Every structure is written in C-alpha cells, then in structure tokens.
Amino acid sequence: MYSHDVLIVGSGLAGLRAALELVGNLDVGVLTKVYPSRSHSGAAQGGVAAALANADGDSIDAHVYDTVKGADYIGDQDAIEILCGDAPRTIIELEHFGCAFSRTDKNKIAQRAFGGHSFNRACYSADRTGHALLHALFEQSMKHAGNLQVYAEWYVMKLIIEDGICRGVVAMDIKSGKLEVFHAKTVLFATGGYGRAFEITSNAYANTGDGIVAAYRAGVPLQDMEFVQYHPTGLYGHGILLSEAARGEGGYLINSKGERFMEKYAPNKMELAPRDIVSRSEQTEINEGRGAGPNKDYVFLDLRHLGKEKLMERLPQIYQLAKDFLGVDAITDPVPIQPTAHYSMGGIPADNDCQVEIDENGNHVKGFFAAGECSCVSVHGANRLGTNSLLEALVFGRRAGKKMLEVTQGADWAPVDEKRELKAVEDEIATLLNTNAKESLGDIRKELQSTMTYKVGVYRSGEEMAQAQGILKNLQAKFSNVRIDDRRKNFNTNLIEALELSHMLEYSELILDGAIARKESRGAHAMIEYPDRDDENWMKHTLAFRTKDGGFELKYKPVRVTKYQPEERKY
Ligand SMILES: Cc1cc2nc3c(=O)[nH]c(=O)nc-3n(C[C@H](O)[C@H](O)[C@H](O)COP(=O)(O)OP(=O)(O)OC[C@H]3O[C@@H](n4cnc5c(N)ncnc54)[C@H](O)[C@@H]3O)c2cc1C
C-alpha cells in the first residue's frame, strides 16, 4: 500500500495547480492515466478569460454578467463572482510561472474576442494556449520533484469512501498491471471531461469519465449531467476542434449558398454568440437543407478574408488541422465543419472551495475534493462560455489546494481495509476477463457513440431519447458479456478500454435521464417539445443518485442567485 497526505488524481491544469499549493507543506502524490503533459488541458487552443484593463470599459462585473447570461441563468452566481474576480490575478500568476502569452504592439498581453463575451478578454498563446499553460505548470511542479511524487500512467479504478469519509483510491500501474491501494487523508479528483461517449467529439481518447463514475459508484451524486456542450466548429467527420478563436479573429460561418446565416439567429453578435446558440443555428441550417456536401450535413468556416499572414500568426494550428485531416487549404477555401461534443458542464457537485457535496443540502464527503472539468461548482450552468474553462481549472484548482492544505493539516488517518478494497477491483477485472464472453468491445462502443451523437445531439426529442435509452440498456446487457482478447497483465490497453467503456455506458445513461426529465430548453439542452426556458419549474440543478440496485434517482437543488435575475437571452 502507498500512502500520501494528499492524493491528486489528474495532472491537467486543475490537478497541477492544486498540487503547487500543497507541495512543500504536505506529502503529495499525483496519479494520472496519461503522462502529465498529455492531459487534455494541453489541447486547449483559443484562450483563457480575464477582464484585464486592456479592453476599454471591461470590468469584472461585466465578465460576471456575461457568464451568468451565457450559463442561461443556472450557474451559481457566488461561484461565478469568484471565478471572474480571481481571473486577472490568475493570468499574471501564470505569466510569472513562465507562460508566454501573445502580445500587443505595446507589449501588453493581447486579448481576442470570444463568443458571449462583451469585451475582448481571451488571453492567448497563438492557438496553443492550453499547451503553453500546461507546460508552465508542469515546469513549476518539476521544481518540487522531491516533494511531489507523480505516478504517470496509473489508472484509478475505485474511490474509497466509507462512513462519509474519503480514504484513498485503488489504482492499476498500467505498465505492470499491478493493483495498489493509495491511502490518503484527502483526495482531489481533477479527472477532466467525458466527451468520448460521442462519435463526433473534440475530446481526447482519455476523456472517458473514469473519475465521475468512480465518485458516483462510491455514493456521490452527479450534478447537471444533461448539459453537454456542442462546439460549433468541429472539423467535419472528425469532430476535432477548430477553436472559437477562428471566429474571434474574424472568421465567418457560411451555408451551402454562401450566406452568413448567423444574421438570422443572432444579428448583433453574429458568429460570436454563445456556443449553444451558434450550434443550434448551424444544425437548423443543415436540417432545413442548406448544408453542403452530398449529404448536406455540414456548413463552412470561412477564414479566407483573414489573409495568410494573420492566419499563420494567430491560428497556425487550425490551418494545419484543416490541411492534415481534410486536405483543405484555409487560405483559399472554406473549411467544412459541424457541431462537435465538446464540454461537460455537469459533474461532481462541489462547493466554492471544491469540497464535494453528498446530497441536495450541501453536506460534504469528508476529505474529498473535485476541481476542473470533472466538477460542477457550478460556474458554467447550462452553457459554458469559451475561455472560462481553463480559467475555472486554474482558479478552482488553486482554491482546492488551499482548502486541502487547511483540512489535511488537522486530519487523522482514517483506516483502509486494503485486502477488501483490492479484492473488489480484482473481482471486477476477473469478471471482465471471463473467457466465454463473446460481444465485441469495439461494436458496443461504436453504437454507444453514434447513439449519443445522433439521438442526444444539438436538438433533443423525447422520442429519440427514449429510443436511445432502449439502445443503452441493450448495450449495457451486451457489455456484461464483452470479450477481452488480451489477457496479459502488462500494458493491457484492451482491458483499460473495457473499463472505460463501462464508465461511458454508465454516465451516458445519466445524461439521458437528466435530459428526459428536464421539460424545458435551457443552454445546451434544447428540447424540441419544450422550446422555451421555464424558470418557474426548472431553474434548478439536477442531482442523480445511484440507488442500491444500480438504478438512479433524480433530486433537485436551487440555483444560487446574487445579483442577476433571469432575463430573456438575446444576442
Ligand atoms: C480541443 C479542446 C480545446 C479546448 N480549448 C479551450 C480553450 O481555448 N479555453 C478554455 O477555457 N477551455 C478550453 N477547453 C476546455 C478545457 O481545456 C478543459 O475543460 C480543461 O483543460 C480541463 O482541465 P482539467 O484539469 O479539469 O482536466 P484535464 O486537463 O482533462 O486532465 C484530466 C486528468 O485526469 C487524469 N485522469 C482521468 N482519468 C483518470 C484515471 N482513471 N486515473 C488516473 N488519472 C486519470 C488524466 O490523466 C489527466 O491528467 C478545450 C477543450 C478541448 C477538448
């Protein structure tokens, strides 16, 4: 058994930022299934938001208002005030950590426009912002290598919570297949998003919701799972992201007739309306026959008018992605795009200090914290604004670290039954490795992903979601008979893919359950039968609890409003 005062699962921005707050004071272990610098944070392109004084008229309050409105009034406003209030400090801190932000002519940090923000407030490093931020943090953490033990390519399989106290995790060393219990006084989950349940997705292969499902199976509810963000500009057929920065720099969206269709849907903000609105506009164009291609199922991102020089300086990665994956030269041709599953607004419910909540009354699981995309604080409500997520991971990662320092220093070691915990995981693996199993893992995963993309998409209908529910039940039954061909211990990616698939099947059901129950349209949840937002009945957060028989129960809790009462959302 390994033990550390504090255990952090995940080495993206949230996990590493938390770790920096703790090293030097406590013994810290960081577990991550991919090498730290390969965490999905490193794929972020467009920028990180802060109301710096660079844009005339911008203010923290304006950032708060934009975020509350972008969230379609279901974000918790006290948390949003923390997020936006701490943003300028965060940017300066990251710069001092060594992050090279792009500059203006006057050598200030440059800021570009982003959807739903009323001022230019996205700080960026060309279109590789996440890469620059993640590497700066990783470098900083390396300075503390003596006090910070990183377990890279370790796969966490189980969260240990007993009598309301979190005690550690069970994890597998991917290299050897060996299982170990990690004992800790406090645990932080910073396990990222879970977009891989969708066929068309911008998310990394590792984003399979392991963390949220481990928490759920350990008795923690999951919050607002129905809100999955579709990003308007996924590369057609692949879903790979072309950052909103492309529109922030002046890119247009056009349909097969060459029309800038956003004129109809958001006449003031045009392409820079929030993502839920732009994705729905694209989908409407496609549904009404104005899509391009043989199946009329995509529209275009037009960057031609920006010119080669600007494209190469500000959007080099986007240019290269279009070239490599579709063979399209964005200097001379418009790029085929479609909405892509991108961001998970829901996750592990946590308070403003990232302490995980076990029920609708805000009671805590002692010693368990969550931050970053896997958590639901909730600063993004029903729809996240671009650039607010890197910010969330940094701001709340730090807050988690600070609170954990305080809590851990006074905490005792709660005992762990090592044998029992190991046995539970060994049994799960043994069941999966059953030699008589027949079902193809790839087929189950493929059907799950296409079901989620095509039946739980930008627009949702009760009928299609009911069909999806049926398909999901069938896939879950098939999964109990899934075949794993690789029976070795070391680097058994076949086994890990099966574990990941079991997580995807479990949380996809919660996305559906929450969506079917919510009889309104709000943010990323657009119900055909209920096209309007219904504040009277639905301005509340969903909590999904796992019942003893493996089923679920939905409960609700109120949204925290400080300053801004709900208004009609127009852009
Ligand atoms: C392509 C793309 C572009 C984006 N661009 C932007 C942008 O420009 N601006 C913005 O604000 N947001 C952007 N986002 C969103 C943003 O990048 C993420 O929400 C944010 O980086 C998440 O950070 P995180 O620290 O929570 O998780 P991640 O960076 O995803 O890290 C998750 C960590 O958890 C670990 N982990 C997961 N499961 C396990 C397990 N079972 N065992 C052990 N370890 C585990 C992983 O190894 C990883 O280290 C983008 C997202 C994508 C996909």
Side-chain angles (χ1 to χ4, degrees), residues 174-310:
I174 298 174
K175 199 158 60 218
S176 65
K178 195 161 176 269
L179 296 172
E180 289 284 355
V181 170
F182 284 75
H183 193 192
K185 292 180 179 175
T186 50
V187 174
L188 170 68
F189 268 21
T191 51
Y194 40 92
R196 283 314 294 186
F198 294 79
E199 180 180 303
I200 300 295
T201 176
S202 69
N203 277 211
Y205 281 89
N207 289 10
T208 52
D210 309 332
I212 58 159
V213 172
Y216 183 62
R217 289 179 181 169
V220 176
L222 294 179
Q223 183 172 325
D224 291 345
M225 292 295 288
E226 61 269 35
F227 296 112
V228 177
Q229 175 167 80
Y230 273 81
H231 191 294
T233 51
L235 211 53
Y236 173 66
H238 297 271
I240 296 170
L241 192 74
L242 301 184
S243 168
E244 196 167 314
R247 282 169 285 138
E249 295 291 355
Y252 301 151
L253 295 174
I254 54 175
N255 61 20
S256 59
K257 298 176 167 171
E259 296 161 342
R260 269 183 86 185
F261 54 83
M262 285 309 297
E263 272 166 5
K264 283 184 285 188
Y265 304 97
N268 296 322
K269 283 291 207 176
M270 296 288 287
E271 283 87 356
L272 289 173
R275 291 173 179 172
D276 55 337
I277 293 175
V278 182
S279 289
R280 279 197 289 278
S281 309
E282 287 178 1
Q283 197 61 52
T284 305
E285 290 296 302
I286 291 169
N287 293 351
E288 293 180 358
R290 291 182 294 279
N295 301 321
K296 293 179 177 271
D297 57 351
Y298 58 81
V299 290
F300 294 104
L301 173 64
D302 190 354
L303 302 171
R304 292 173 292 185
H305 54 289
L306 299 185
K308 185 174 176 184
E309 199 180 325
K310 190 167 181 183

Side-chain angles (χ1 to χ4, degrees), residues 224-481:
D224 291 345
M225 292 295 288
E226 61 269 35
F227 296 112
V228 177
Q229 175 167 80
Y230 273 81
H231 191 294
T233 51
L235 211 53
Y236 173 66
H238 297 271
I240 296 170
L241 192 74
L242 301 184
S243 168
E244 196 167 314
R247 282 169 285 138
E249 295 291 355
Y252 301 151
L253 295 174
I254 54 175
N255 61 20
S256 59
K257 298 176 167 171
E259 296 161 342
R260 269 183 86 185
F261 54 83
M262 285 309 297
E263 272 166 5
K264 283 184 285 188
Y265 304 97
N268 296 322
K269 283 291 207 176
M270 296 288 287
E271 283 87 356
L272 289 173
R275 291 173 179 172
D276 55 337
I277 293 175
V278 182
S279 289
R280 279 197 289 278
S281 309
E282 287 178 1
Q283 197 61 52
T284 305
E285 290 296 302
I286 291 169
N287 293 351
E288 293 180 358
R290 291 182 294 279
N295 301 321
K296 293 179 177 271
D297 57 351
Y298 58 81
V299 290
F300 294 104
L301 173 64
D302 190 354
L303 302 171
R304 292 173 292 185
H305 54 289
L306 299 185
K308 185 174 176 184
E309 199 180 325
K310 190 167 181 183
L311 257 175
M312 290 312 184
E313 186 205 324
R314 304 276 178 88
L315 306 166
Q317 186 180 187
I318 284 174
Y319 175 82
Q320 205 57 47
L321 287 169
K323 188 120 194 147
D324 290 347
F325 286 88
L326 292 183
V328 172
D329 185 335
I331 297 169
T332 53
D333 292 297
V335 185
I337 47 121
Q338 71 184 119
T340 183
H342 180 59
Y343 186 83
S344 326
M345 268 75 72
I348 303 170
D351 70 7
N352 292 344
D353 288 316
C354 305
Q355 302 184 94
V356 172
E357 296 178 347
I358 191 87
D359 59 25
E360 67 280 23
N361 302 317
N363 289 309
H364 294 141
V365 184
K366 207 172 160 204
F368 184 36
F369 295 73
E373 191 169 338
C374 73
S375 70
C376 185
V377 167
S378 131
V379 289
H380 309 301
N383 172 61
R384 169 175 78 86
L385 292 188
T387 67
N388 268 352
S389 163
L390 293 175
L391 180 63
E392 181 197 8
L394 293 166
V395 167
F396 285 90
R398 175 171 173 268
R399 290 180 74 84
K402 282 193 181 304
K403 190 70 187 176
M404 289 175 89
L405 182 60
E406 181 192 317
V407 168
T408 315
Q409 277 171 332
D412 293 326
W413 290 94
V416 166
D417 185 337
E418 187 185 3
K419 267 197 189 140
R420 191 189 61 196
E421 297 301 336
L422 283 177
K423 171 129 190 354
V425 174
E426 280 160 7
D427 287 351
E428 187 187 351
I429 294 177
T431 312
L432 276 172
L433 291 176
N434 164 18
T435 42
N436 296 323
K438 295 200 170 47
E439 297 289 347
S440 149
L441 192 158
D443 288 352
I444 299 175
R445 186 173 50 205
K446 209 167 160 197
E447 195 174 349
L448 168 71
Q449 290 170 329
S450 73
T451 302
M452 294 304 283
T453 286
Y454 299 107
K455 296 204 184 289
V456 200
V458 171
Y459 285 108
R460 299 163 167 186
S461 77
E463 193 188 333
E464 282 189 330
M465 289 200 291
Q467 288 166 3
Q469 241 176 353
I471 296 171
L472 223 69
K473 286 269 172 259
N474 187 24
L475 292 177
Q476 282 164 347
K478 278 190 179 169
F479 182 81
S480 60
N481 194 25

Side-chain angles (χ1 to χ4, degrees), residues 41-42 60 89 98 126 243 299 310 368 420 495 506 538 540:
S41 290
I60 287 172
R89 189 204 56 75
S243 168
V299 290
K310 190 167 181 183
F368 184 36
R420 191 189 61 196
L495 172 63
E506 186 141 8
W538 286 103
K540 56 189 180 186

Side-chain angles (χ1 to χ4, degrees), residues 11 13-14 32-34 39-41 44 46-47 156 210 373 387 389-390:
S11 58
L13 293 189
T32 167
K33 76 185 208 187
V34 300
S39 301
H40 190 63
S41 290
V156 170
D210 309 332
E373 191 169 338
T387 67
S389 163
L390 293 175

Side-chain angles (χ1 to χ4, degrees), residues 138-153:
F138 189 46
E139 262 170 39
Q140 291 298 319
S141 66
M142 285 296 97
K143 283 209 292 206
H144 301 278
N147 300 315
L148 183 72
Q149 175 84 38
V150 177
Y151 298 86
E153 302 190 335

